[in-house]
Amino acid sequence: MCGSALVLASSLPKEQNAQTTDAAGAIQRGFPAMKVIVILLFSLVGIAGSYGVAWFGIRVNTFANSRTAFASLTGKPYPTMRSR
């Protein structure tokens, strides 16, 4: 499996360096600053979204575990939520 991935990767065209041409026709290397900022911004939004989903999942799981634990102390399988 790994050998076939190496053969496939070696048959692909080589990646070119990020080059742009300015108005004067000179070649500039690297990415424009705005593109880097947008990539970093979306990366941070993705990280924050993953953190939020994990936080919510941990919170719901903790509630479910405590509900089950307190139900076992009373001898009931699962208590229903009391509305106040």
Side-chain angles (χ1 to χ4, degrees):
M1 182 84 168
C2 188
S4 61
L6 289 174
V7 170
L8 178 64
S10 65
S11 66
L12 294 174
K14 301 296 180 205
E15 184 179 334
Q16 298 293 323
N17 292 333
Q19 294 181 349
T20 56
T21 307
D22 63 4
I27 295 177
Q28 295 181 340
R29 298 181 67 140
F31 290 106
M34 193 62 190
K35 188 172 187 177
V36 172
I37 291 170
V38 168
I39 291 170
L40 288 175
L41 178 70
F42 278 98
S43 296
L44 292 175
V45 167
I47 291 168
S50 296
Y51 179 82
V53 168
W55 174 83
F56 182 75
I58 290 169
R59 180 184 162 126
V60 168
N61 190 35
T62 302
F63 175 74
N65 288 342
S66 66
R67 185 174 168 211
T68 304
F70 285 114
S72 69
L73 292 174
T74 61
K76 299 177 185 173
Y78 288 100
T80 58
M81 300 258 321
R82 287 182 244 158
S83 57
R84 296 179 184 187

